[in-house]
């Protein structure tokens, strides 16, 4: 692939939140972007934002945990936009509960969307990246990978994504492909709004309480994460691979 050719990115879970901000950001950098989410119609706002700014985007309906849907979606992107060589595994769900109350389906749903979804998407996209001799994979981990009460499923999946990322980096590096993880702290999206509702707090109060615990004294915005993802997906980041970047307004350990 010549470096002047437009690179094609797939962002999963891009109908809203961090995924939508990332899709818009990558398009602003000149990528053609597949805006992938469960419901194709729900991708319209993100696609319209990109096209209104003069970019190229395609709405793709797909459940990332379903192998047949993933294969079909990636082939559709390749046919309609071009070979996908940038992949952002962002789709995610929460099924929070303390261990003794967590159901089998709470566990399986979170594993299937985050871990199986990232695996299926990466496996379907890697052949296009290998053929191009170029690829960028970014997986969304979380500060919860370090452990978080009520999230035994989610923290295990997000820690798992860090191991997945490092192994992708080792296996795919020789093909010009990098893999990195971005691990956000508290970001104001529908996901954290739903958590506020679940614990019986107004979203404004919930954010204000979280901000007191964050060194920069504010919660994050989707654009904070999109900025980090844009760095890892850039042509200039070719020697940065297998890393986990916490983007949380302060250090975490
Ligand atoms: N918001 C935060 O504070 C935060 C913190 C750390 C990590 N993250 C991670 O960042 C990512 C984005 O989070 P967000 O806050 O924007 O969430 P969000 O709930 O606002 O958006 C998630 C999107 O993923 C889509 N999705 C869910 N299941 C899917 C599936 N099976 N197939 C395709 N799409 C699917 C949803 O439809 C939704 O549009 C997630 O992986 C999340 O775990 C978020």
């Amino acid at each position: 692939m010549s470096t002047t050719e437009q690179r094609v990115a797939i962002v999963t879970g891009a109908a809203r939140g961090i995924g939508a901000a990332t899709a818009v950001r990558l398009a602003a950098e000149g990528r053609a972007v597949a805006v992938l989410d469960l419901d194709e119609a729900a991708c319209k706002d993100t696609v319209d934002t990109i096209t209104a700014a003069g970019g190229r985007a395609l709405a793709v309906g797909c459940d990332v945990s379903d192998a047949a849907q993933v294969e079909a979606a990636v082939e559709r992107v390749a046919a309609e936009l071009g070979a996908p060589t940038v992949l952002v595994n962002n789709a995610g769900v929460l099924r929070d509960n303390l261990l003794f109350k967590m159901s089998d389906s709470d566990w399986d749903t979170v594993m299937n969307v985050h871990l199986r979804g990232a695996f299926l998407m990466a496996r379907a996209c890697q052949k296009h990246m290998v053929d191009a001799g170029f690829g960028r994979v970014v997986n969304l981990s979380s500060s919860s990978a370090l452990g978080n009460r009520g999230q035994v499923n989610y923290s295990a999946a997000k820690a798992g994504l860090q191991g997945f990322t490092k192994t992708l980096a080792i296996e795919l590096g020789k093909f010009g492909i990098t893999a990195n993880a971005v691990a956000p702290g508290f970001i104001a999206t529908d996901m954290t709004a739903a958590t506020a509702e679940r614990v019986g707090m107004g979203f404004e109060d919930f954010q204000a309480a979280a901000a007191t615990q964050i060194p920069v004294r504010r919660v994050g915005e989707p654009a904070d994460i999109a900025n980090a993802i844009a760095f890892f997906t850039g042509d200039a980041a070719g020697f940065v691979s297998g890393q986990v970047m916490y983007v949380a307004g302060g250090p975490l350990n």
Side-chain angles (χ1 to χ4, degrees), residues 79-167:
E80 295 187 32
L81 279 186
T85 56
V86 177
L87 170 64
V88 182
N89 281 313
N90 166 82
V93 290
L94 295 180
R95 294 288 184 275
D96 294 356
N97 236 326
L98 293 175
L99 176 63
F100 77 103
K101 288 194 279 192
M102 187 168 287
S103 69
D104 295 8
S105 103
D106 288 339
W107 177 268
D108 291 343
T109 299
V110 167
M111 291 301 148
N112 284 339
V113 175
H114 295 270
L115 275 179
R116 185 177 156 83
F119 156 65
L120 292 174
M121 289 298 306
R123 190 179 62 180
C125 288
Q126 56 79 29
K127 54 184 171 290
H128 296 291
M129 298 180 184
V130 170
D131 287 349
F134 175 92
R136 297 281 183 266
V137 180
V138 179
N139 299 311
L140 269 289
S141 181
S142 168
S143 55
S144 296
L146 300 167
N148 198 25
R149 183 180 166 81
Q151 293 196 317
V152 72
N153 50 0
Y154 184 78
S155 62
K158 292 306 201 185
L161 280 167
Q162 296 189 12
F164 175 72
T165 299
K166 291 173 190 189
T167 302

Side-chain angles (χ1 to χ4, degrees), residues 178-239:
T178 66
N180 292 284
V182 172
F186 188 119
I187 310 300
T189 67
D190 289 349
M191 183 177 273
T192 37
T195 301
E197 196 175 339
R198 197 175 61 80
V199 301
M201 280 178 83
F203 193 33
E204 292 301 321
D205 290 344
F206 191 61
Q207 291 179 72
T212 65
Q213 305 301 312
I214 298 170
V216 302
R217 292 293 186 273
R218 68 170 177 89
V219 301
E221 300 168 7
D224 291 314
I225 304 307
N227 288 335
I229 294 169
F231 166 70
F232 283 127
T233 57
D235 286 18
F239 204 56

Side-chain angles (χ1 to χ4, degrees), residues 18-40:
I18 293 168
T22 301
V24 169
R25 173 65 196 262
L26 297 189
E29 298 202 342
R31 316 287 186 217
V33 181
V35 176
L36 185 150
D37 211 293
L38 280 172
D39 174 17
E40 184 169 321

